[in-house]
Each structure stands twice: as structure tokens, then as C-alpha cells.
Amino acid sequence: MSLEPRVCVVGSANLDLVARTERIPSPGETVLGYAYFEAAGGKGLNQAVAAARSGAAVAFVAAVGSDTAADSLVDIAEADGISTASIKRVPGPTGRAMITVGDDGQNSIVVIPGANGLVDPAHVQVHGPTVARAQVVLAQLEVPITAVIAAFEVARAVGATTVLNPAPAVELPDELLALVDLLIPNEHEAERMGGVDRLRRLGIHTVIVTEGRRGCRVFDASGERRVEAFAVEVVDTTGAGDSFCGALCARLAAGDAIDAALTGANAAGALATTVVGAVPSIPHSAAISDLIRLDGRGAPPT
Ligand code: ADP
């Protein structure tokens, strides 16, 4: 009998403020928009929700501010059964993304990290025992790199798997590179970091490049191979990458081998494109299993 799969996510939580307008205003210009909505976001929260919906027990190490957005983000995490005991509350604003979407599909985004900027090594260390209980520790780069390093050090000390989704893409310090078992960039991020060959030369054991409707490619000690995407009716690709990362980590924590876990991750990413938004589009394990079965790839390993 295997242990309960446990994933710890260290990352951001944002409230997304989304305005729809015919076209994005130029500097100094005011335009009238025609729709507005608010939604939970931030790569950390999205990926925590994705791992939880894929069946893992998830702890979320994060920070929110002292405003009403803080309560709604914590409520959203709890609604998916995520442990929020490691979310600290700090004075000031919760992270926000102000997103303007034009009718041509273009967008312009201002992210105010707010509380996310205060996820620091000290906070990670306070919750070290929580991090150490997970089989997989997953992080992105929307919180300070020093906090990610601190979390991965705890993970390494207990033999947990460290997974980094390097978004937004930045030059990774050597100290962090040395702590990453699995790196999951999309094509643009992989390119901005100098390509897969360089990343593997720098010592990362497994690099998984997500390639949208072409699925993903994996590069590890067994060589390079593609795991095909699932054919779905695409409505909105927001949340695909986050669903992929969270689902992959839940499956790795459950003991799946990498290729089986990637099939589940591709199915999760595909399903996320069939529903508008990020958190609402993140699929549960039952839907993921159904898609894998329907596609004829056999029953997913448990
Ligand atoms: P990001 O959203 O981070 O840019 P991708 O666009 O590469 O990441 O998508 C992540 C994963 O989601 C892909 O590897 C794939 O499994 C799935 N996915 C994304 N777009 C599609 C699509 N159009 N059809 C099927 N699967 C998709």
C-alpha cells in the first residue's frame, strides 16, 4: 500500500481583475470597457488547486495581505481542500493582476506582487515540517527566489522531488539550479533560458517542455521523447500550463512513473482549455481518467 500522495506548493496567490474592452488603451488614453470580472489566480494557487483536484493532499506556502481579497483567496483554496495553515497574512495588499483583454485577443497585464513579495526563507523555515512531509515540492517564480531555494533545500534534505515551473522566465541562479530535479518550462521559457541542452548541461535531471496542442517533450537520462496531447475543443487556454504542472506533481507524489504521470498531465492541460478562466477550468481526477480512457490510452495507473 502506498502513502497518501502529498504535494507542497510554494508560490503566489493573486486576485485577477479582468477588464474587457474593444481595444487596449494607448498611454494617456481612456477607453470604455464593456465587461469586468474578478477571479482567483496566481500560478501558485492555480497549481495548488490542480494538484488537489488530481487527488493529492496539498499544503500551500504563500502570503496574502490584509484586504478582503485575502479572505476570498484563502476561501477558494479551502474549498478545494487545500491546507492553508502555511499561508501567512501580512499588512498591505494581496497580490493582484490587472488584466485588460482586447477584442483582438491581445492583452496587457500589470502584476502587483503585494504580499507575494513577502514569501521569504524565514516563512518557509517556519513551515519546514509541512514542506518536509510532501513527496513532491512544487514552485514557480512569482515569489522571491530565495524562498524557493529554502523550500527546495528542505525537500532535498528529506529526499522529496523538487519541481520548478520557471515562470516568469529569469536567469536561474546556480544555487537554485543545483536543487531542481524536474524543470517544466513552456517553449518560450525554455528558449529564454538558453534551450534544453544548456539546462541539462547545467545539471537538471529532467526537463519537460510543454508545447501547447502538441503536448510535451521530456528530456531525461532515457533520452528525448514526446508525449502527445489530447484532442479537445479549445475555448480558452488560460490555466493549461498550471493544470499540467499541478496534475503532474500529484501523480508523481502518488508514485506514478514519469511517462504515465505525463499522460495525466497532458489530459489535465487539455481539459483546462475547454473551459473559460483559470481556477474554474482546472479538472478533477475523474475527468482526467475519463479523457485518458476515451482516448484509448488505457486505464491510468493509480
Ligand atoms: P502555458 O499555458 O504555460 O504556455 P502550454 O500552452 O504549453 O503552457 O500548455 C500546457 C499543456 O496544456 C500542454 O503541454 C498540453 O498538455 C496542454 N494543452 C495546451 N494547449 C492545448 C491544446 N490546444 N490542446 C490540447 N492540449 C493543450
Side-chain angles (χ1 to χ4, degrees):
M1 210 182 98
S2 55
L3 289 169
E4 178 192 34
R6 284 185 300 272
V7 174
C8 176
V9 179
V10 180
S12 59
N14 287 334
L15 185 66
D16 292 349
L17 315 177
V18 186
R20 295 296 311 257
T21 160
E22 272 176 35
R23 67 183 175 78
I24 296 171
S26 315
E29 188 186 14
T30 300
V31 298
L32 287 182
Y34 60 83
Y36 174 78
F37 64 93
E38 298 182 356
K43 290 187 147 291
L45 181 55
N46 292 344
Q47 295 183 16
V49 168
R53 290 187 186 170
S54 270
V58 177
F60 186 29
V61 178
V64 293
S66 50
D67 46 15
T68 52
D71 297 326
S72 51
L73 295 184
V74 170
D75 288 350
I76 282 165
E78 281 175 356
D80 270 292
I82 293 167
S83 164
T84 58
S86 311
I87 301 182
K88 74 170 167 178
R89 289 174 180 261
V90 298
T94 295
R96 278 183 176 67
M98 308 180 63
I99 304 171
T100 308
V101 184
D103 281 350
D104 57 0
Q106 298 274 30
N107 59 31
S108 78
I109 304 177
V110 178
V111 174
I112 298 110
N116 295 310
L118 299 172
V119 179
D120 58 4
H123 176 56
V124 171
Q125 272 137 20
V126 167
H127 296 283
T130 300
V131 180
R133 266 195 297 278
Q135 294 100 337
V136 177
V137 177
L138 167 63
Q140 316 76 29
L141 298 174
E142 292 185 339
V143 294
I145 278 186
T146 49
V148 176
I149 290 172
F152 283 1
E153 278 171 349
V154 173
R156 271 286 162 88
V158 295
T161 300
T162 58
V163 181
L164 180 67
N165 173 221
V170 293
E171 189 59 38
L172 302 181
D174 292 348
E175 204 185 347
L176 176 57
L177 279 168
L179 292 166
V180 176
D181 293 323
L182 234 120
L183 187 75
I184 315 178
N186 65 17
E187 290 168 280
H188 311 288
E189 289 149 4
E191 202 171 305
R192 284 195 57 189
M193 289 186 297
V196 175
D197 288 345
R198 173 173 179 267
L199 291 165
R200 294 229 45 233
R201 267 201 311 278
L202 289 171
I204 296 174
H205 182 269
T206 305
V207 179
I208 296 158
V209 181
T210 64
E211 298 185 337
R213 63 187 167 72
R214 281 171 292 120
C216 63
R217 276 185 301 155
V218 51
F219 303 78
D220 63 11
S222 316
E224 172 189 345
R225 59 213 180 274
R226 173 176 299 286
V227 184
E228 293 295 338
F230 289 82
V232 288
E233 206 127 310
V234 178
V235 176
D236 170 20
T237 59
T238 311
D242 291 338
S243 293
F244 181 100
C245 292
L248 180 73
C249 290
R251 284 173 167 259
L252 292 176
D256 277 16
I258 184 83
D259 290 73
L262 284 169
T263 298
N266 266 342
L271 287 166
T273 71
T274 65
V275 179
V276 178
V279 168
S281 78
I282 297 169
H284 289 82
S285 54
I288 295 170
S289 301
D290 285 350
L291 180 59
I292 294 172
R293 243 190 314 275
L294 275 173
D295 195 76
R297 297 196 200 183
T302 48

